[in-house]
Amino acid sequence: MKITRQKHTKKHLGFFRNNFGVWEPYQILLDGTFCQAALRGCIQLREQLPGYLMGETQLCTTRCVLKELETLGKDLYGAKLIAQKCQVRNCPHFKNAVSGSDCLLSMVEEGNPHHYFVATQDQNLSMKVKKKPGVPLMFIIQNTMVLDKPSSKTIAFVKAIESGQLVSVHEKESIKQLKEKQGLMKNPEQRKRKRRKKISGPNPLSCLKKNKKAQDTKSPTSEKKSKRKRVRIRNRSSSAVPSEKQNPKG
C-alpha cells in the first residue's frame, strides 16, 4: 500500500508541477482541523511531510487560524501549539479576523499565485478548494497523509489551456519575464521618467512675453534719438538765418 501511495503522490505532484509551476519548497497551509488530526494520529508533520512529498516543505498558517484556535479553548490547545510553530503568512484580514476556512480560501484566490497546498479536514472547505483550479489538497485518513488527486475543475482548466482557450497564471508570468529580458516590455517607472523629461524646459509663452518687453524697452530710446535729431536741425537753421542777413550789409 505504501508503494502505491507514493506512486500516486508522485503522479499528482508531476501534474501540478508541469501545469501550474508548483515547485519546492512546497508551501502547505494548515488549518486547525488538520493540526488536530495530526495530533490524534501521532503524525510528526515536520519529519514525515518531506518524505511523503519527496521534497522540501514549509508548514504555513495564518493569523486568522491562530485566533480561531485561541477562541476554541483547551480542547484544541495541542493543535494551537502545532500551528504556532508554523510560518505565519500575511492574509488580507488585518483588522477584522475571519474564520480559518474563509481565510485559507482567500489565500488561494486569483489562480493561487503562491502555489499553496491546502491541508484541512473540513469537508466544506475541501469542496470549495476543489472548485478552484491549481490548488493541491491534502487531508488525513486512518492516520496517514494523503495528497488528493486533481479535481475535475483543475483537469478541465488544463484541457482548456491545451486547446488554446485559456492561458494559465504560470504562463502569463513566464511571458512577462521573457518580455522584460528582451526589452519588449518597459516598466511603468521608466515611462514616468521619460514623461517628466519631456515636460521639462522653458515655456514658449514666457519667451514671447520677454520679446514683447524687449521691444517695448527699445521704443522709448528710439523716440529720444529722433527728438535729438530734430533739435539739431532747428539749431542749424537758426544759425544760418543771421549769417545771410549779415552778408548783404557787408
Side-chain angles (χ1 to χ4, degrees):
M1 291 292 292
K2 186 176 181 180
I3 296 173
T4 56
R5 187 159 56 91
Q6 287 181 350
K7 286 183 178 179
H8 288 302
T9 302
K10 188 176 181 180
K11 180 181 178 181
H12 301 335
L13 284 173
F15 177 85
F16 286 107
R17 185 184 300 113
N18 295 328
N19 295 296
F20 297 97
V22 178
W23 291 94
E24 300 179 28
Y26 303 122
Q27 301 186 77
I28 294 131
L29 281 173
L30 309 176
D31 69 346
T33 59
F34 191 85
C35 294
Q36 183 69 13
L39 183 64
R40 289 178 180 176
C42 299
I43 298 173
Q44 301 294 328
L45 295 176
R46 293 186 180 275
E47 297 175 359
Q48 296 182 20
L49 261 176
Y52 175 68
L53 296 177
M54 296 166 285
E56 186 180 354
T57 59
Q58 291 181 354
L59 299 180
C60 311
T61 190
T62 62
R63 296 176 183 175
C64 295
V65 173
L66 294 174
K67 288 183 179 180
E68 185 180 36
L69 290 171
E70 289 178 359
T71 56
L72 293 175
K74 296 181 180 179
D75 295 336
L76 295 175
Y77 180 75
K80 185 182 74 172
L81 293 178
I82 295 173
Q84 286 177 347
K85 294 179 181 179
C86 300
Q87 298 179 8
V88 180
R89 293 288 186 263
N90 292 326
C91 63
H93 317 106
F94 296 102
K95 296 181 179 180
N96 299 321
V98 297
S99 63
S101 59
D102 291 339
C103 185
L104 294 188
L105 195 65
S106 67
M107 296 292 286
V108 295
E109 292 287 347
E110 299 178 357
N112 191 17
H114 299 287
H115 309 299
Y116 287 124
F117 288 59
V118 176
T120 182
Q121 298 295 110
D122 189 352
Q123 293 183 357
N124 293 328
L125 178 59
S126 299
M127 293 300 293
K128 292 178 181 179
V129 169
K130 288 180 180 181
K131 293 179 181 180
K132 296 183 179 297
V135 183
L137 180 65
M138 294 190 68
F139 47 85
I140 295 173
I141 295 178
Q142 296 178 356
N143 300 332
T144 56
M145 294 177 292
V146 177
L147 176 64
D148 195 13
K149 63 181 180 180
S151 62
S152 58
K153 291 285 185 180
T154 299
I155 295 172
F157 183 80
V158 172
K159 289 182 179 179
I161 291 171
E162 291 176 353
S163 62
Q165 297 177 2
L166 295 173
V167 179
S168 64
V169 177
H170 177 63
E171 289 179 350
K172 289 180 181 179
E173 291 178 356
S174 61
I175 290 169
K176 287 182 180 179
Q177 291 177 359
L178 290 173
K179 286 184 178 180
E180 289 177 358
K181 288 181 180 179
Q182 295 179 359
L184 298 175
M185 185 176 180
K186 296 181 180 179
N187 294 328
E189 294 180 357
Q190 295 178 354
R191 294 178 181 176
K192 289 180 180 179
R193 289 176 183 175
K194 288 184 178 181
R195 288 178 182 176
R196 288 177 183 176
K197 288 180 180 179
K198 289 180 180 179
I199 292 170
S200 63
N203 191 354
L205 296 175
S206 61
C207 295
L208 292 174
K209 290 179 181 179
K210 289 180 180 179
N211 292 329
K212 289 180 180 180
K213 288 181 180 180
Q215 291 176 1
D216 294 338
T217 54
K218 290 180 181 180
S219 60
T221 55
S222 61
E223 290 178 357
K224 288 181 181 179
K225 290 181 180 179
S226 62
K227 287 180 180 180
R228 288 178 183 176
K229 288 180 180 179
R230 290 177 184 177
V231 171
R232 287 177 184 175
I233 293 167
R234 288 177 182 177
N235 290 332
R236 287 179 184 176
S237 62
S238 61
S239 61
V241 169
S243 62
E244 290 178 355
K245 290 179 180 181
Q246 292 174 1
N247 286 328
K249 286 180 181 181

